[in-house]
Amino acid sequence: MASKGNINLSRNKLILSALSIQLSLDSNQFSSDVVENDIKSMYNILKSSKNERPTENNDQMTKWIAFAESFPTESSACFEVLKGLNEDLVLKSVLLGNGLKPSEADVIVFSVIHSSVIELSKSDKEKLPHLMRWIDYIQSKVDLGNVFKKILHEKTPFEPHLHLQGTKAADKVEVESGAKKVAESPKVADKPEAEVKTKKSEDPKAKKSDNAKKATGNKEASKEKKKAPEAETVEKDKEVSVSLLNIKVGLISKAWKHPSADRYVDFFTSPC
């Protein structure tokens, strides 16, 4: 059985490789003595090599470094700690901050728990849905394929809750009842026109409104009739031209009684 010191040394080597990838560093530039430090000191050495502050968001980073350093080496005790981590990830996508970008804390914790999670049975993995979802996310966002073997994760198919199913059933009933009402409505429209006319005639208000409509219609019709001849006369006047008339002027030079008429007189006119 490997000693605790050897296990911690192996973990530190994995953390060094993973953090170097996350920080875009070459792990070969660090001496073998670096991995003999605790995780916090090793992390600070890597950050300092990039001229960056050793701890970012200090309280949270310190929390997850402490988690990694205290993670048990005995497999029997690992599952209980993983259950606690699963609860921490219920409302989180990543360990550090409220965003979606994996941080150094995510890489360190992933490196520490990887060997324990990959050995879990399928049933035990199903008991840690939030942890497995987080592991799958880190594997897809950080290129750690050369350092760690990928942990397979079978995603649980989505099934709606019972109260949602009840809501859908209620909606279906409403839709069906609405369809029945729509189907019954044409029956009213199919009634004979005679019945509809009879009902209208029985309604005194309907009679008054019909009479008012008729009177209004008659007035409008008479107005239109009056307007029509006037419009025609105006249009005809516009069309008449003086040049079309054959007008002649003459002078009456002689008049006499018509032989076969009592009141009519013949006229002789000479042109002027």
Side-chain angles (χ1 to χ4, degrees):
M1 182 181 292
S3 64
K4 184 175 181 180
N6 291 334
I7 293 175
N8 288 335
L9 187 62
S10 298
R11 285 179 178 177
N12 285 2
K13 288 180 180 179
L14 293 173
I15 293 171
L16 176 64
S17 299
L19 276 177
S20 297
I21 294 172
Q22 176 71 4
L23 298 171
S24 301
L25 295 171
D26 182 7
S27 59
N28 295 323
Q29 69 179 344
F30 302 101
S31 64
S32 58
D33 297 337
V34 174
V35 296
E36 295 179 0
N37 295 287
D38 56 26
I39 296 174
K40 184 176 182 180
S41 299
M42 185 170 59
Y43 170 68
N44 289 339
I45 291 171
L46 268 64
K47 291 288 283 185
S48 299
S49 66
K50 293 196 69 174
N51 297 321
E52 296 180 3
R53 294 178 61 184
T55 53
E56 186 177 341
N57 198 350
N58 186 52
D59 293 340
Q60 288 296 313
M61 193 67 196
T62 301
K63 169 189 172 181
W64 293 114
I65 288 176
F67 172 88
E69 289 178 340
S70 63
F71 192 76
T73 55
E74 302 84 9
S75 57
S76 58
C78 290
F79 188 73
E80 291 300 320
V81 179
L82 293 175
K83 285 172 64 177
L85 181 57
N86 179 72
E87 294 301 318
D88 284 335
L89 290 165
V90 171
L91 300 176
K92 292 182 179 180
S93 296
V94 291
L95 295 176
L96 191 60
N98 298 319
L100 298 173
K101 183 179 179 181
S103 64
E104 289 90 355
D106 292 278
V107 173
I108 291 172
V109 173
F110 179 88
S111 303
V112 169
I113 68 172
H114 179 273
S115 59
S116 299
V117 175
I118 201 169
E119 293 177 356
L120 292 176
S121 63
K122 182 179 178 181
S123 59
D124 285 340
K125 288 179 181 178
E126 290 175 351
K127 296 175 184 177
L128 306 170
H130 307 295
L131 175 64
M132 297 307 301
R133 180 255 307 159
W134 171 79
I135 286 175
D136 188 58
Y137 183 70
I138 299 301
Q139 289 181 147
S140 64
K141 291 296 182 180
V142 185
D143 186 13
L144 301 174
N146 294 329
V147 182
F148 299 97
K149 183 179 179 181
K150 187 172 183 178
I151 299 174
L152 300 178
H153 171 50
E154 295 182 9
K155 297 179 181 179
T156 306
F158 173 75
E159 293 182 1
H161 294 291
L162 293 176
H163 72 277
L164 294 176
Q165 292 178 348
T167 303
K168 289 182 179 179
D171 293 342
K172 186 177 180 181
V173 172
E174 290 182 2
V175 170
E176 290 178 354
S177 62
K180 287 182 180 179
K181 289 180 181 179
V182 172
E184 292 173 357
S185 61
K187 294 181 181 179
V188 178
D190 292 340
K191 287 185 178 180
E193 293 182 2
E195 293 183 10
V196 178
K197 288 181 180 179
T198 304
K199 287 185 178 180
K200 284 186 178 180
S201 62
E202 291 175 356
D203 189 356
K205 292 183 180 179
K207 283 184 178 181
K208 290 181 180 180
S209 61
D210 290 341
N211 292 334
K213 288 179 181 179
K214 288 180 181 179
T216 304
N218 293 334
K219 289 180 181 179
E220 291 178 354
S222 61
K223 287 180 181 179
E224 289 179 359
K225 287 180 181 179
K226 289 180 180 179
K227 289 180 180 178
E230 293 177 1
E232 289 178 2
T233 304
V234 172
E235 292 295 330
K236 287 181 179 179
D237 291 340
K238 289 181 180 179
E239 293 176 0
V240 174
S241 178
V242 178
S243 61
L244 299 176
L245 301 176
N246 186 12
I247 300 174
K248 294 182 179 181
V249 180
L251 176 66
I252 299 174
S253 59
K254 185 178 179 180
W256 66 92
K257 186 177 181 180
H258 195 277
S260 59
D262 296 333
R263 297 181 181 179
Y264 297 96
V265 179
D266 282 342
F267 297 94
F268 175 76
T269 58
S270 59
C272 297

